[in-house]
Amino acid sequence: ARPFERAFIAPGDLIRLEYYRAMRNTALKAGPEGLDQLAGMLNKMTGAMSSDAAGISRFVQAVERGILFFSPRYTRSSISLLSDFVSGGLEGRLARESLLGMLGLGVVSYVTLVESLNKAGVKQELHLDPSESSFMTFNIGDDVVGVGGFWTQFAKLTSRLAETAWDEDARQEFMADDTVRTNPIIRFIRGRSAPFAGIGWDIAIGEDYLGRPIESSMDWTNHIGTQSMPIWMEAGLIANPYRTGRVGVA
């Protein structure tokens, strides 16, 4: 397991170290707390914000990981980075540079990949409307593969909320919508929930996140079993073993 752990952790450590080296002199100019602010910002940027340093007790951390949220440290880091976006000082400046840089790099990378696939003969369309479910997705065979993570979810949420700013009908519809499957705020929270909490959502409303009904005992057995598995194991066990083409090779 250690080689896999190193492969997961090492890139984040490298990014933090290189960014620290590049920004150290700038941080020193901000005063005696500049280096602490830089270190905190780097942790938030890479999803490594310390829960202990934030004053979160070990019991609460265990509840968050096991019951409430999927990747709670990453979620807390991202929300903290968003709050710093409107702050002053070094942290606010770095947060704005980081978010704008991630936005630009993400869009440019996605557009480049789509154009490269089209030139290679794999027909693709650009999906850059964050209010659509197809936002930043690719078609690979019969599958739709998307760019996941907190930031794409947040972009979808804010775009749908923005529609209510100038559209009175959309605002009234949003305020009256308290359903788990269609309300964007509820869906955002549900999408960040841990497997245990996700199963609780599904039991309460009788359907999964995509709106597929779960009715029979066999449906519940399969659903709870797959929800409890690691994502890679779930795909390996329930995928069609006779699939061909690009997805089958992958």
Side-chain angles (χ1 to χ4, degrees), residues 112-210:
T112 301
L113 285 171
V114 169
E115 293 302 322
S116 298
L117 289 170
N118 281 324
K119 289 181 179 179
V122 182
K123 187 176 181 181
Q124 300 288 330
E125 294 183 7
L126 283 171
H127 300 288
L128 293 173
D129 184 353
S131 65
E132 299 292 335
S133 60
S134 59
F135 178 56
M136 294 186 76
T137 59
F138 305 89
N139 295 315
I140 302 179
D142 295 328
D143 293 87
V144 177
V145 180
V147 179
F150 177 91
W151 299 108
T152 49
Q153 283 186 315
F154 185 76
K156 292 178 182 179
L157 171 64
T158 52
S159 68
R160 288 166 184 162
L161 292 179
E163 293 175 356
T164 66
W166 57 80
D167 189 332
E168 180 64 27
D169 292 336
R171 182 159 55 252
Q172 293 296 330
E173 182 180 352
F174 170 76
M175 295 300 292
D177 185 3
D178 61 354
T179 58
V180 172
R181 188 153 58 90
T182 57
N183 185 285
I185 295 178
I186 298 176
R187 280 184 62 82
F188 177 78
I189 296 173
R190 187 183 180 191
R192 302 302 305 169
S193 61
F196 185 87
I199 292 173
W201 282 98
D202 300 340
I203 291 174
I205 63 176
E207 60 183 32
D208 65 12
Y209 184 79
L210 298 177

Side-chain angles (χ1 to χ4, degrees), residues 57-77:
S57 69
R58 293 299 177 91
F59 174 76
V60 173
Q61 292 179 43
V63 171
E64 286 180 339
R65 287 193 301 269
I67 300 176
L68 297 179
F69 296 113
F70 179 80
S71 61
R73 279 211 310 164
Y74 176 60
T75 301
R76 184 180 293 110
S77 298

Side-chain angles (χ1 to χ4, degrees), residues 6 11 17 20-21 23 30 33 38 56 61 71-72 108 137 151 167 184 197 200 214 217 231 236-237 242:
R6 285 196 295 269
L17 288 170
Y20 178 85
R21 289 173 182 169
M23 295 297 297
E33 296 183 353
L38 175 60
I56 310 298
Q61 292 179 43
S71 61
V108 169
T137 59
W151 299 108
D167 189 332
I214 308 173
S217 299
I231 297 173
L237 290 178
Y242 300 105

